[in-house]
Amino acid sequence: MTRRLRDIAALLALMAFALAGTPLATFHGDESMQIYMSGDYWQAFVRRQPDALKTQPPYPIDSDGHLRILNGSINRHAIGFAWHLAGLDESGLPPRPGWDWGLSYDDNVATDHRPPDSALLTARLPSALLLAGAIPLLFALGWRLGGRLTAHLAAALFALNPVLLLNGRRAMQEGALLFFGVLALLIAAWLAARLRRQPLAWLALAGTCGLALASKHSAAPMVVGALAGLWIALIAAHFTPRRVLIATITVSTAAALGFGLFIALSPALWDDPAARLGDLLMVRAELLEIQVAVSGGVPMPLVERAAMIAREPFLAPVMHFEVSWWRDIPQINAEIAAYTAHPLSGLQTDNLIGIGLTLGALIGLIAALARRSPADWVVLAWSGAAAGSLLLNPLPWQRYALPWIPAAVLLAALGVSQIVRHAAQRWAESRAGVGMAARGSRHLR
């Protein structure tokens, strides 16, 4: 088997692993909300009335307008498409608002807010497929960062990361966020290594940035990382005023086109986009206040936010839910126990492995800062934007770290590959030294 075939076989095995655990993932209430909102698919593509998806204030909590303006559009339309293909229709959707957080778990189940397992699996498939699709993208980005070894390590660490697996397997927005976010970064790294014009690649970058933002608004650090890293790489190659101007215009145009596509894919923003974007920020701030109140009433101190940057990729246990009272639900506890014990839940790192991978990421960061190749600039800008977003985040919710975890995975893969290569080089040098000493000894005899 050639190297390329081995690479493909390894990636297919990792993708199959990510998909295989989809039915086992523990349930989250937001899955029901996303499934309920997939009714927008029928409104837009079956009845062909997309204008009905526009929003206007006010936005009562859990109203359709509130849910539309707060959430990305890609996943809910993908769920609707999957249901349509499976022969399901709107009659099987959960009642509004999908999951009622004002009711107990048992009352939600009794009122059909939790879908049957077969329907839930159908709704999970779009996100799970995109999660699996992100694995070869990260492999390709790892290859640009450090070659074959870095690529394989990055793909494996991504595919085995229990936090990425759980969130990507659910009927939520994370699979789309990871796929389109990593794709935008890969295209940016590819463009950064090429100084001549690549108009189709620039259009692809703009398109994937728009798709990432339409997948979930928290893809912003990945989009900013892709665009900022590309801009830095372009001007670092030849730092002249003309080069800076061209790079600034080109990257700004890609950003504007990507943002335009985000608006086009977000019906909630169509009616006066500037005003609706203001509404989005206002509604997001109001929801954040509610979430902080539910989580204890006090925003996380800055030191705790900084600790999340180091802890979440490899050291923190998987967070299966955010609301504290879910820990008292027997059904959820049973699902967590069964999922965690299953090999398909991913690599449940102990302290030793987690510390080793965290140190590997630190070594990878130092290596990227020292080398500053085009791909290094993209990953460094992504890491900075994602880590910075966590410093602004007042909630100790693991899902908010998802834009950062793949960057940490890449840095850890780079760090470990640097250690392996250095050790191999030292070993080869020592073997060569032993051989020379032996030949010298024979010559003296």
Side-chain angles (χ1 to χ4, degrees):
M1 184 182 291
T2 66
R3 273 190 168 189
R4 181 168 295 182
L5 287 176
R6 287 198 295 268
D7 293 341
I8 294 172
L11 288 174
L12 288 175
L14 290 173
M15 294 170 72
F17 179 88
L19 282 171
T22 303
L24 307 172
T26 55
F27 174 75
H28 193 290
D30 284 355
E31 292 187 271
S32 287
M33 181 268 289
Q34 288 287 317
I35 295 171
Y36 165 73
M37 290 304 297
S38 72
D40 286 2
Y41 165 84
W42 273 272
Q43 191 70 34
F45 297 104
V46 178
R47 289 190 289 275
R48 299 185 181 181
Q49 297 174 340
D51 284 350
L53 306 181
K54 294 178 180 178
T55 62
Q56 283 278 356
Y59 304 96
I61 297 293
D62 284 346
S63 65
D64 287 357
H66 184 259
L67 296 176
R68 284 186 183 123
I69 202 166
L70 274 176
N71 293 280
S73 60
I74 298 295
N75 183 62
R76 62 174 178 259
H77 286 117
I79 291 175
F81 180 62
W83 272 44
H84 204 167
L85 285 180
L88 302 172
D89 58 30
E90 292 174 280
S91 63
L93 297 179
R96 182 182 297 167
W99 189 261
D100 191 336
W101 292 102
L103 298 178
S104 69
Y105 175 86
D106 290 338
D107 287 342
N108 269 289
V109 172
T111 51
D112 296 325
H113 284 84
R114 175 166 178 165
D117 288 346
S118 59
L120 183 60
L121 176 59
T122 300
R124 285 176 169 181
L125 285 177
S127 181
L129 287 168
L130 289 170
L131 170 72
I135 295 170
L137 299 180
L138 204 77
F139 177 90
L141 189 51
W143 194 297
R144 292 203 158 269
L145 190 65
R148 175 176 269 107
L149 178 59
T150 302
H152 277 288
L153 286 170
L157 289 175
F158 181 95
L160 296 175
N161 186 285
V163 178
L164 297 176
L165 285 174
L166 176 63
N167 287 280
R169 287 167 169 168
R170 286 168 162 171
M172 290 160 63
Q173 303 172 96
E174 278 67 26
L177 176 151
L178 291 168
F179 179 85
F180 291 112
V182 174
L183 181 56
L185 289 152
L186 175 59
I187 297 172
W190 188 86
L191 280 168
R194 285 160 174 77
L195 299 180
R196 64 181 185 276
R197 294 179 181 177
Q198 303 282 343
L200 292 179
W202 280 96
L203 286 175
L205 174 64
T208 51
C209 286
L211 286 165
L213 290 173
S215 297
K216 192 172 185 179
H217 303 151
S218 58
M222 303 177 86
V223 171
V224 169
L227 296 171
L230 176 54
W231 181 80
I232 295 169
L234 291 175
I235 67 171
H238 298 287
F239 190 79
T240 63
R242 182 174 180 273
R243 186 72 182 173
V244 172
L245 178 61
I246 292 173
T248 302
I249 292 173
T250 311
V251 172
S252 298
T253 301
L257 290 173
F259 194 74
L261 180 60
F262 161 63
I263 298 293
L265 293 173
S266 305
L269 305 177
W270 287 355
D271 190 358
D272 192 351
R276 299 294 77 77
L277 286 168
D279 293 345
L280 168 60
L281 294 176
M282 177 193 69
V283 173
R284 174 64 62 186
E286 291 174 351
L287 178 64
L288 197 60
E289 289 181 7
I290 295 171
Q291 291 171 332
V292 168
V294 170
S295 298
V298 180
M300 256 198 317
L302 186 60
V303 65
E304 284 296 319
R305 303 182 196 188
M308 280 190 71
I309 298 172
R311 182 179 65 238
E312 294 305 328
F314 308 114
L315 295 170
V318 179
M319 182 179 285
H320 291 261
F321 52 81
E322 289 80 29
V323 289
S324 59
W325 54 269
W326 268 47
R327 67 170 58 98
D328 301 321
I329 302 171
Q331 173 68 23
I332 295 300
N333 286 325
E335 289 183 18
I336 292 173
Y339 181 75
T340 304
H342 202 285
L344 290 174
S345 65
L347 180 63
Q348 307 293 331
T349 56
D350 57 19
N351 287 338
L352 187 60
I353 296 175
I355 290 171
L357 291 174
T358 303
L359 291 175
L362 179 59
I363 293 170
L365 177 63
I366 294 170
L369 287 168
R371 300 181 319 175
R372 296 190 294 275
S373 72
D376 288 325
W377 282 124
V378 171
V379 174
L380 287 170
W382 170 20
S383 301
S389 71
L390 285 177
L391 291 177
L392 298 175
N393 166 46
L395 287 167
W397 291 8
Q398 196 169 60
R399 275 193 291 164
Y400 287 179
L402 288 181
W404 155 239
I405 293 176
V409 162
L410 271 173
L411 291 174
L414 177 61
V416 172
S417 65
Q418 293 284 312
I419 294 170
V420 170
R421 290 191 181 104
H422 180 72
Q425 182 180 354
R426 293 293 299 271
W427 172 256
E429 289 172 353
S430 66
R431 295 287 294 174
V434 170
M436 290 179 63
R439 287 193 296 272
S441 176
R442 288 196 297 270
H443 180 73
L444 289 175
R445 291 199 296 271

